[in-house]
Amino acid sequence: MRFLDHPPRFLFFTGKGGVGKTSIACASAVELAAIGKQILLVSTDPASNVGQVFGVAIGNRITSIDAVPGLSALEIDPQAAAQVYRDRIVGPVRNLLPESVVKGIEEQLSGACTTEIAAFDEFTALLLDSALTAGYDHIVFDTAPTGHTIRLLQLPGAWSGFLEAGKGDASCLGPLAGLEKQRAQYSAAVDALADPERTRLVLVARAQQATLREVARTHEELAAIGLRQQYLVVNGVLADAAAANDSGAAADVLAAAIGRREQAALATIPDVLKTLPMDRIALKPFNLVGLDALRGLLTDTAPIDAPEEIASQPLEAPDLASLVEEIAADGHGLVMLMGKGGVGKTTLAAAIAVELADRGFPVHLTTSDPAAHLAETLTESLEGTGATLEIGRIDPRVETERYREHVLSTKGAQLDDAGRALLEEDLRSPCTEEIAVFQAFSRIIREAGKTFVIMDTAPTGHTLLLLDATGAYHRETTRQLGDTGLQLRTPMMQLQDPKQTKVVLVTLAETTPVLEAAGLQADLERAGIQPWAWVVNQSLAAARTRSPLLRRRAANERELIDAVAEQHARRYAVVALQEAEPIGADQLRRLTTATGAPSW
């Protein structure tokens, strides 16, 4: 693999969610350790599953992977890092100030911006020559899905610039206390990221047009901030032989359709990616969990044995149409699709929105994902069909600018020039985005009181940070109201109300996405939010195929689908992998067409 030829000290694996970044990062770390290198594998994903891949509890500490000599791993836990950060700030004043004041400080430090700052501190420390990293030849970063990664890699410049301009006294959620002391560390991190002798970015994609377009945008955004040493890896490519049946006499319809889509995507790869060194990794028949699977990922595999009976056993499971029927019965409400990146949340959100609009309901389809592009899934307007469907997006840049203009026109209107200049500096803090996005999220939640709002959320970790901000607002509002007797209805209370909000967890029938969805469900339940349903998307077990490789993958799915039905979900549905890519209203409607599958 060219992306592992003469590797520099820092290797970053990034890309759209669900393309296999974690698997490839882990396999690369194993391969480098096998040639005698000392490797530190680091996950910067708020919803890291590196520990699941190795079957080892890792967490927010450097942990040796005993089965792989020379390999250690670390999962940067944003919540644990934020707690350490809070303790560092609150500890010295805890016994000096009144308890009410201390609680107010703690509440100010409970926002997502504090979490971001704390995780950023840990991330930049790993880019420096220090006692912490001195013993490692290579540090391999498994990053969060694209939007979150770009935000993280831009932070060294954002915080350095903010401090350089002397704007370290912002009064936003998650105060910037302590950042000034880190100026030298942040500057060194910027230098390390921009140095091609020290840093290489590996862009991971699938052979899909939308994913390759996303990678092209990522390439340009990262190059613009100085990270130009980039390689491209196209993962999970279906080999030509996989389209044949057992006798090799005829092409399998589903496998052939997948193959055509992939070849068309690779033939029309964006021009900006054509100059990058590129590797292809073949689709494997096994789940990428465990050391044996990792060692087989970057190599060719032997012919696949798949018993014929696998193809002839129909999967009996509820379909998406049955869930939409229940959603429609309420007449309005917020439907939030959540889960790991790359599981198809955008597609399913668009399919549900189109079906509800076709039934005559007013629908607002929106997304909180910084890297989402709903227009690439729903490519045409429903005007002229009688359907009312509005498509929107919580764009952090747009919302931040809107928030700044509002504050300047209200709070800033009565200030003198000096006061207004100070306010403008405050609003240039990177933390301002947190408040702006939260306010946009709150507006959308309120809108669901009279219409259907279908929200495609950001990948798991980013969504949890947004919900953290929602919870922080709820706690602060409750504290301020106290016993005043005023009626309270915060956004968090609406999310907790099953009559107002239906949370649908989306997963694939693969080990890691199911485990991550189960973890997300536990996190939501601790916040008082009970997921309404699960959807197992892109299922081969629900499709029909004669391809030995696809049949073996279908067989692997059944145990996981049973686990969803019996252990995790109150209600669930399974959506088959489609022959045609679900883009455009007609193809989306196929996902919500009743198949006659039995209900639970």
Side-chain angles (χ1 to χ4, degrees), residues 385-398:
T385 66
T388 304
L389 176 58
E390 175 189 355
I391 299 177
R393 177 188 176 199
I394 299 178
D395 185 323
R397 294 179 182 177
V398 172

Side-chain angles (χ1 to χ4, degrees), residues 162-171 175-180 183 425:
F162 190 66
L163 294 173
E164 192 67 36
K167 304 178 180 67
D169 58 347
S171 56
L176 308 182
L179 286 181
E180 179 68 34
R183 182 194 298 266
E425 285 187 1

Side-chain angles (χ1 to χ4, degrees), residues 275-358:
T275 59
L276 299 182
M278 184 175 76
D279 292 297
R280 299 186 190 186
I281 298 176
L283 182 68
K284 299 298 188 289
F286 44 78
N287 284 326
L288 291 166
V289 175
L291 197 52
D292 289 342
L294 292 176
R295 286 173 174 150
L297 175 59
L298 303 182
T299 62
D300 293 331
T301 58
I304 308 304
D305 174 32
E308 179 61 34
E309 58 267 21
I310 292 176
S312 61
Q313 296 172 352
L315 178 73
E316 295 187 356
D319 56 25
L320 187 59
S322 58
L323 292 186
V324 176
E325 196 68 38
E326 283 199 68
I327 293 170
D330 290 342
H332 66 85
L334 174 64
V335 180
M336 297 183 71
L337 286 89
M338 298 185 184
K340 179 179 171 66
V343 297
K345 298 185 299 294
T346 302
T347 297
L348 294 179
I352 293 171
V354 168
E355 175 63 22
L356 291 172
D358 284 346

Side-chain angles (χ1 to χ4, degrees), residues 4 8 92 179 337 396 422 431 457 476 494:
L4 285 180
L179 286 181
L337 286 89
L422 184 61
C431 286
T457 68
E476 177 65 10
Q494 290 181 260

Side-chain angles (χ1 to χ4, degrees), residues 81 88 119 129 188 211 228 250 333 362 438 513 556 563 565:
R88 189 167 73 238
D129 293 326
T211 306
R228 297 183 176 85
F438 168 70
N556 293 338

Side-chain angles (χ1 to χ4, degrees), residues 14 201-205 215 218-219 222 230-233 273 276:
T14 191
L201 274 154
V202 181
L203 306 174
V204 183
V215 166
T218 302
H219 161 69
L222 294 176
Q230 299 183 22
Y231 284 62
L232 176 64
V233 174
L273 299 179
L276 299 182

Side-chain angles (χ1 to χ4, degrees), residues 86-316:
R86 284 190 289 267
D87 290 343
R88 189 167 73 238
I89 294 175
V90 177
V93 301
R94 188 176 297 280
N95 296 320
L96 300 177
L97 299 176
E99 184 179 351
S100 60
V101 175
V102 172
K103 285 185 176 179
I105 296 173
E106 288 178 331
E107 195 57 52
Q108 284 186 318
L109 289 166
S110 66
C113 192
T114 299
T115 304
E116 183 178 47
I117 294 170
F120 170 62
D121 263 354
E122 292 201 10
F123 163 69
T124 54
L126 296 170
L127 296 173
L128 308 179
D129 293 326
S130 67
L132 180 67
T133 61
Y136 299 105
D137 298 303
H138 301 286
I139 301 179
V140 178
F141 290 89
D142 165 39
T143 71
T146 306
H148 198 93
T149 295
I150 292 172
R151 174 66 178 152
L152 181 64
L153 295 179
Q154 285 175 332
L155 274 174
W159 289 121
S160 295
F162 190 66
L163 294 173
E164 192 67 36
K167 304 178 180 67
D169 58 347
S171 56
C172 60
L173 284 173
L176 308 182
L179 286 181
E180 179 68 34
K181 299 175 183 178
Q182 304 295 88
R183 182 194 298 266
Q185 176 171 311
Y186 299 162
S187 177
V190 172
D191 291 342
L193 289 171
D195 184 353
E197 297 298 319
R198 288 189 282 170
T199 298
R200 177 179 298 172
L201 274 154
V202 181
L203 306 174
V204 183
R206 298 296 294 266
Q208 301 164 350
Q209 291 182 345
T211 306
L212 289 167
R213 286 195 297 269
E214 175 69 26
V215 166
R217 284 189 289 267
T218 302
H219 161 69
E220 292 181 313
E221 289 182 288
L222 294 176
I225 58 174
L227 283 74
R228 297 183 176 85
Q229 178 76 330
Q230 299 183 22
Y231 284 62
L232 176 64
V233 174
V234 182
N235 187 34
V237 179
L238 189 66
D240 293 341
N245 65 10
D246 286 326
S247 65
D252 176 72
V253 174
L254 179 60
I258 295 171
R260 286 195 299 271
R261 289 207 305 262
E262 291 184 346
Q263 293 306 314
L266 292 171
T268 57
I269 191 169
D271 289 341
V272 295
L273 299 179
K274 291 179 179 178
T275 59
L276 299 182
M278 184 175 76
D279 292 297
R280 299 186 190 186
I281 298 176
L283 182 68
K284 299 298 188 289
F286 44 78
N287 284 326
L288 291 166
V289 175
L291 197 52
D292 289 342
L294 292 176
R295 286 173 174 150
L297 175 59
L298 303 182
T299 62
D300 293 331
T301 58
I304 308 304
D305 174 32
E308 179 61 34
E309 58 267 21
I310 292 176
S312 61
Q313 296 172 352
L315 178 73
E316 295 187 356

Side-chain angles (χ1 to χ4, degrees), residues 392-410:
R393 177 188 176 199
I394 299 178
D395 185 323
R397 294 179 182 177
V398 172
E399 297 301 336
T400 300
E401 186 57 35
R402 178 184 298 168
Y403 174 75
R404 286 173 177 151
E405 290 177 357
H406 172 74
V407 173
L408 288 171
S409 64
T410 54

